[in-house]
Amino acid sequence: MKHFSGPGPSAKEEWRRYWPTVLGCAMGYSCIGLQTFCFGPFVGAIEQEFGWSRAQTMSGFTVMSGGAVLFNLLGGIAVDRFGARPVALFGQLLLCSSFALLSLADGSIVNWIALWALVAMAVGMMQGPVWTRSVAALFDKGRGLAIAAVLSGSSLTAALAPLIATALIDAFDWRSALIGTAAIWLGLTLPFSFILFARATGASSSRNTPMAAEPASSLPGMTAREAMRQPAYWLIVGGMFSFILYTMALAPNLVPLLISKKLSLAAAAQIAALVGVVGLVARLSVGHLLDIFPTHIVAFLIFLFPLFGLALMMQQDPGILALVIATAIFGATVGAENDVIIYLVSKYFGIRSFGALLGGINSIAAIAATIGPICAGWIYDRTGTYDMMLLVVGCIMGLGALGMFALGRLQPIAACPSA
């Protein structure tokens, strides 16, 4: 199939034209980090009130991730059919509201499952394809950095939301803190996404602007059926599966894990905030590297990097410096890897079926997200430590790294045209 890349404007010119869309999408996408990075501070209080085990508390993530198998795919298809903006704004409102509704938990597992099922529906409307499809269409020369900038919104959440939640828990109680955190985050982000994301659809009349608002059939790239016949697609699926298993096993358990290493809740929350800070720097850096160096080499190194952090966390008494370094490595990995997956899809298959392809990848990866948190909690309940969990996810990340390296033997099939 024809490679669609052409001369077009420079990366600098693309940024001059379209930076408001990038900012609006980044702020909106930040909401998706609430249930992942902000739940840790609530774990202890919920377990204490309801007398639950760690596995029972984390079962909400299993429900959410199981539902995402369906909702992620539907969200991706909805983006291709209706456009990104209406799906994105609806998902943003629904996700913040459903996170706040977790405050209605009454100690019944049935009630807990129902509340997290609503979160699962919202997450399906908030995945990366919803927020990155527009910038993937607008940017060519600077696409890697633009995608990274949008996804950096979740790094902002990882850096600030746990601190906000911890402060609200100390000042009030965990139920009020859930509502307050969701309300604060929606108030901070919705004005940006509502106003600036509008430019993504308003500019579609320009002849030289390959906007996501155009019908999918008129955009360059492969159909979903064609892409799924390519070995590259399944290597990308495998890489995303290993990444999500690593992230969802560790992220909601990060604060409890740090506490198990003899840190206080306040100290653990402060160190966990590094995930967002380091993730933001790593995401933007890797996005730029994707525009310069071979993608499969960048991806291979990023997937290999977490093994060093996992080894530090497995030490019996690692010390605060080692835990800071290990948490920073986790943040760097979380910040970089999703960019790699989204960039690979646009590079190898174009944007004709961008939403459906990424929705399918996210749905398969949701299986990993389903088993990750509850298995981590189950291992902790049985062994009293997270060491075995860290070993398992480390081995799986190693396999994902090998899959990324193997992509170097396959040529990109299609790419988007120049803006």
Side-chain angles (χ1 to χ4, degrees):
M1 184 172 287
K2 180 181 177 181
H3 191 287
F4 291 96
S5 186
S10 65
K12 183 177 180 180
E13 178 61 20
E14 289 173 344
W15 275 97
R16 189 189 67 79
R17 294 180 186 178
Y18 307 125
W19 69 264
T21 298
V22 175
L23 176 59
C25 291
M27 294 301 290
Y29 182 73
S30 72
C31 295
I32 201 171
L34 280 177
Q35 82 287 346
T36 301
F37 298 110
C38 194
F39 187 69
F42 295 94
V43 169
I46 291 173
E47 289 180 351
Q48 183 177 3
E49 178 166 336
F50 298 142
W52 285 350
S53 67
R54 188 62 46 86
Q56 287 175 304
T57 306
M58 293 299 170
S59 65
F61 282 89
T62 300
V63 174
M64 179 192 70
S65 302
V69 175
L70 172 64
F71 293 124
N72 286 355
L73 180 58
L74 293 178
I77 294 173
V79 170
D80 287 336
R81 182 168 182 179
F82 302 111
R85 188 170 185 262
V87 177
L89 295 179
F90 173 74
Q92 187 177 357
L93 287 166
L94 183 60
L95 183 55
C96 290
S97 299
S98 60
F99 186 75
L101 287 175
L102 292 177
S103 63
L104 298 179
D106 60 8
S108 163
I109 291 297
V110 174
N111 168 265
W112 192 238
I113 289 173
L115 292 172
W116 278 95
L118 187 59
V119 175
M121 183 185 300
V123 169
M125 302 295 106
M126 286 286 293
Q127 289 297 318
V130 178
W131 299 97
T132 58
R133 187 173 185 262
S134 293
V135 296
L138 287 168
F139 287 79
D140 182 22
K141 301 297 189 301
R143 188 185 307 148
L145 183 58
I147 290 174
V150 171
L151 297 178
S152 67
S154 64
S155 298
L156 179 66
T157 314
L160 298 181
L163 299 179
I164 294 173
T166 301
L168 291 176
I169 291 172
D170 290 340
F172 302 100
D173 56 72
W174 69 269
R175 296 180 189 275
S176 300
L178 277 169
I179 297 171
T181 303
I184 289 171
W185 211 257
L186 183 64
L188 287 174
T189 60
L190 185 60
F192 286 92
S193 55
F194 183 81
I195 296 172
L196 298 181
F197 200 8
R199 300 199 181 192
T201 53
S204 60
S205 60
S206 172
R207 178 182 176 185
N208 296 320
T209 304
M211 288 308 305
E214 295 180 7
S217 59
S218 68
L219 296 173
M222 306 179 73
T223 65
R225 186 184 299 271
E226 291 170 337
M228 291 177 67
R229 293 173 180 168
Q230 306 299 322
Y233 182 76
W234 296 106
L235 288 175
I236 295 171
V237 168
M240 187 64 160
F241 184 94
S242 65
F243 164 58
I244 293 298
L245 183 67
Y246 164 75
T247 302
M248 293 305 296
L250 199 55
N253 286 288
L254 182 57
V255 171
L257 188 155
L258 293 173
I259 292 174
S260 74
K261 300 296 182 180
K262 303 177 182 178
L263 295 181
S264 66
L265 172 60
Q270 290 172 356
I271 292 177
L274 285 174
V275 172
V277 177
V278 176
L280 177 60
V281 175
R283 176 159 280 156
L284 296 176
S285 300
V286 170
H288 184 58
L289 293 176
L290 288 170
D291 290 327
I292 300 175
F293 296 106
T295 310
H296 73 286
I297 297 297
V298 177
F300 171 70
L301 295 176
I302 291 300
F303 272 70
L304 204 61
F305 192 42
L307 301 185
F308 300 101
L310 293 172
L312 287 174
M313 287 184 174
M314 289 178 64
Q315 299 301 310
Q316 186 67 29
D317 190 11
I320 191 166
L321 179 59
L323 291 175
V324 167
I325 294 172
T327 302
I329 290 174
F330 174 66
T333 306
V334 171
E337 283 178 295
N338 210 20
D339 320 17
V340 171
I341 298 297
I342 293 176
Y343 185 88
L344 284 170
V345 171
S346 71
K347 178 180 179 181
Y348 277 82
F349 311 115
I351 60 170
R352 181 177 180 180
S353 300
F354 186 75
L357 289 174
L358 278 170
I361 290 173
N362 288 332
S363 291
I364 294 174
I367 297 172
T370 300
I371 63 177
I374 197 167
C375 284
W378 183 86
I379 291 172
Y380 178 84
D381 290 338
R382 295 300 182 278
T383 66
T385 73
Y386 287 103
D387 291 348
M388 182 59 67
M389 177 269 288
L390 296 174
L391 178 62
V392 171
V393 298
C395 292
I396 294 174
M397 281 297 289
L399 293 175
L402 293 177
M404 294 296 98
F405 188 78
L407 280 172
R409 301 176 61 88
L410 305 172
Q411 294 299 315
I413 306 300
C416 303
S418 298

